[in-house]
Amino acid sequence: MTNQNPTHETALAFRALHIPGRPLVLPNAWDTASARLVEEAGAAAVATTSAGLAWDLGTADGDRLDRDRALGAVARVAAAVRVPVSADIESGYAKDAAGVGDTIRAVLAAGAVGVNIEDALYGREGAGDGGRGPLRPVAEQAERIAAARAAADAAGVPLFINARIDTVLRGAGGVEETLERAAAFLAAGADGIFVPGVVDPGTVKSLVAGVEGPLNVLAGPGAPSVAELAALGVARISMGSSIAQAAHAVVRRAARELLSAGTYDSLTGGLDYVELNTLLGGAR
């Protein structure tokens, strides 16, 4: 019998977008306005950026935002667009695996059908605290991913779990260590692997060959083009916080120019008021 649950069907549609060589391209959003603009630009899905979302809520990135506030923002994004939404939930907004399961249930209630779960440690749980190092132990992280998988399966939703591995980003290992973690996380129930910080074509190619699942890379200035990454076999390309950073840079430039020179050149090229008002004020 076909499952008629709309969330189930949306999750399947999102899952199907991860094709090696024909990657899902995600210009990450952080609020309803950016999500609507990303959708209007033609994105097949919207993914949140935890950094951009945290900044929008007045909090620093890095496991400092509480679950309710974070997923409240995700719910607003999901309600604002028609395409599937994937939520960056940092390390799961929870201290233990059971808490990660609770987070996943809240993610589904918010309307998202995908998540990023990272293996980095921050703050009191992070590097320098008891010698635990910059990443969670593999077994601990695998347990958290397994809890996420179990919670989604119990809800009957084929949630796409993208396991983020911060070996390269945090200088905690190279390709070999990354592949070891990837294998463990996929075995625990992850659907894809996200390795930010990797842009060298040779390294990307090695990861594509060694990961038994869709590979997500983080792109931006200095990275290979979408076409080049596609040719290497990448299945998902995201921008992380870079679009939010660029948007906030405009705010700072415009404010400084206005308050110092008394001019307005930084605002050249802004979106038309009527166009933006119509897009954001229209019905979903």
Side-chain angles (χ1 to χ4, degrees), residues 193-213:
I193 298 296
F194 177 27
V195 187
V198 173
V199 293
D200 171 70
T203 304
V204 172
K205 189 173 182 179
S206 295
L207 291 174
V208 168
V211 172
E212 296 294 329

Side-chain angles (χ1 to χ4, degrees), residues 17-222:
L17 295 172
H18 296 77
I19 304 171
R22 291 173 51 197
L24 169 62
V25 180
L26 296 168
N28 297 76
W30 61 94
D31 60 8
T32 57
S34 58
R36 290 288 289 272
L37 288 166
V38 165
E39 180 186 42
E40 188 266 345
V46 169
T48 63
T49 158
S50 67
L53 192 149
W55 298 333
D56 186 57
L57 295 175
T59 304
D61 189 29
D63 274 353
R64 292 176 174 86
L65 190 61
D66 66 271
R67 178 196 293 155
D68 290 346
R69 293 181 70 209
L71 296 184
V74 170
R76 291 190 291 274
V77 167
V81 298
R82 294 184 176 89
V83 296
V85 171
S86 182
D88 184 341
I89 60 170
E90 304 191 49
S91 65
Y93 301 125
K95 292 182 178 180
D96 55 23
V100 174
D102 292 336
T103 296
I104 294 303
R105 285 183 279 275
V107 165
L108 297 176
V113 294
V115 291
N116 282 5
I117 304 177
E118 63 191 70
D119 61 357
L121 282 164
Y122 296 96
R124 58 182 179 276
E125 290 187 317
D129 182 16
R132 296 188 71 191
L135 304 181
R136 291 186 189 276
V138 174
E140 180 185 343
Q141 183 66 5
E143 182 183 9
R144 294 168 74 87
I145 290 171
R149 177 84 279 147
D153 288 350
V157 178
L159 180 79
F160 190 97
I161 299 176
N162 203 30
R164 174 174 145 175
I165 299 175
D166 277 1
T167 42
V168 176
L169 198 63
R170 289 193 156 215
V175 171
E176 183 177 348
E177 292 82 1
T178 302
L179 292 178
E180 289 175 359
R181 284 182 168 261
F185 300 162
L186 289 168
D191 300 289
I193 298 296
F194 177 27
V195 187
V198 173
V199 293
D200 171 70
T203 304
V204 172
K205 189 173 182 179
S206 295
L207 291 174
V208 168
V211 172
E212 296 294 329
L215 180 70
N216 179 187
V217 298
L218 185 68

